């Protein structure tokens, strides 16, 4: 991966964030990568390989950056724990993740199987959570049983 490709990919993401007001996912995904590196080195290598060989070149070539980054986040979550990824609309209705997820959806990965007591992993956040989305977040991600206003 060249520095030019990386610079172009970063610029395209910055422009998309400025145009939409969407949240920058990179810091959150960096934390996921750090956790993955400690827990499962082969999975970490797969995540880095996807980033270098697929994500950055596709962004530099003009793919819509926000859905591409959301898909990368979904892949990180799947590498960390098998499960399913869901989207929660503004009214609180959850449905299976489809690419590209609309920007107003809360996207959560729900681990399944052994160790499924693990909390949901945030893959994508809308600019502003609705009350219904906040309830999903509070329960599934934070483990709170009451809504934080």
């Amino acid at each position: 991966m060249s520095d030019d490709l990386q610079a172009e990919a970063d610029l395209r993401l910055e422009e998309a964030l400025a145009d939409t007001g969407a949240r920058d996912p990179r810091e959150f995904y960096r934390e996921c990568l750090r956790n993955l590196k400690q827990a499962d080195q082969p999975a970490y290598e797969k995540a880095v390989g996807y980033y270098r060989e697929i994500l950055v070149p596709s962004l530099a070539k003009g793919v819509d950056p926000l859905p591409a980054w959301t898909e990368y986040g979904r892949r990180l979550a799947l590498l960390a724990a098998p499960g399913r990824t869901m989207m929660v609309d503004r009214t609180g209705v959850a449905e299976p993740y489809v690419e590209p997820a609309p920007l107003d959806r809360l996207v959560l990965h729900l681990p399944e199987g052994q160790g499924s007591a693990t909390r949901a992993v945030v893959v994508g956040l809308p600019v502003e959570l609705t009350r219904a989305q906040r309830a999903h977040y509070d329960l599934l991600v934070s483990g709170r049983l009451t809504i934080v206003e």
Side-chain angles (χ1 to χ4, degrees):
M1 174 178 66
S2 75
D3 289 342
D4 290 343
L5 279 179
Q6 182 67 59
E8 181 63 25
D10 289 344
L11 177 63
R12 292 197 27 77
L13 177 60
E14 293 295 335
E15 289 172 345
L17 293 172
D19 289 347
T20 62
R23 298 172 191 224
D24 189 339
R26 292 175 293 188
E27 187 57 39
F28 175 73
Y29 293 160
R30 283 184 195 111
E31 182 180 333
C32 291
L33 275 170
R34 284 190 293 272
N35 293 339
L36 198 57
K37 186 175 184 178
Q38 291 176 352
D40 186 344
Q41 187 67 33
Y44 169 79
E45 294 298 332
K46 283 183 185 179
V48 171
Y50 182 89
Y51 175 83
R52 290 181 178 156
E53 297 166 19
I54 297 173
L55 180 63
V56 170
S58 68
L59 293 174
K61 290 179 184 174
V63 169
D64 189 346
L66 297 176
W69 273 98
T70 300
E71 178 60 19
Y72 180 61
R74 187 187 72 82
R75 289 174 176 272
L76 287 174
L78 278 169
L79 286 168
R84 51 195 173 113
T85 306
M86 304 294 290
M87 304 183 304
V88 181
D89 73 11
R90 297 183 56 76
T91 67
V93 174
E95 59 188 357
Y97 169 81
V98 292
E99 190 182 359
L103 293 178
D104 67 345
R105 299 299 197 272
L106 169 62
V107 182
L108 300 173
H109 178 73
L110 306 173
E112 295 177 341
Q114 284 188 324
S116 62
T118 304
R119 292 196 173 123
V121 176
V122 175
V123 173
L125 289 169
V127 173
E128 187 173 328
L129 290 170
T130 64
R131 190 171 200 278
Q133 290 169 330
R134 169 60 67 188
H136 278 79
Y137 183 95
D138 287 347
L139 177 63
L140 299 173
V141 176
S142 301
R144 290 189 205 114
L145 297 177
T146 57
I147 296 174
V148 175
E149 296 290 336

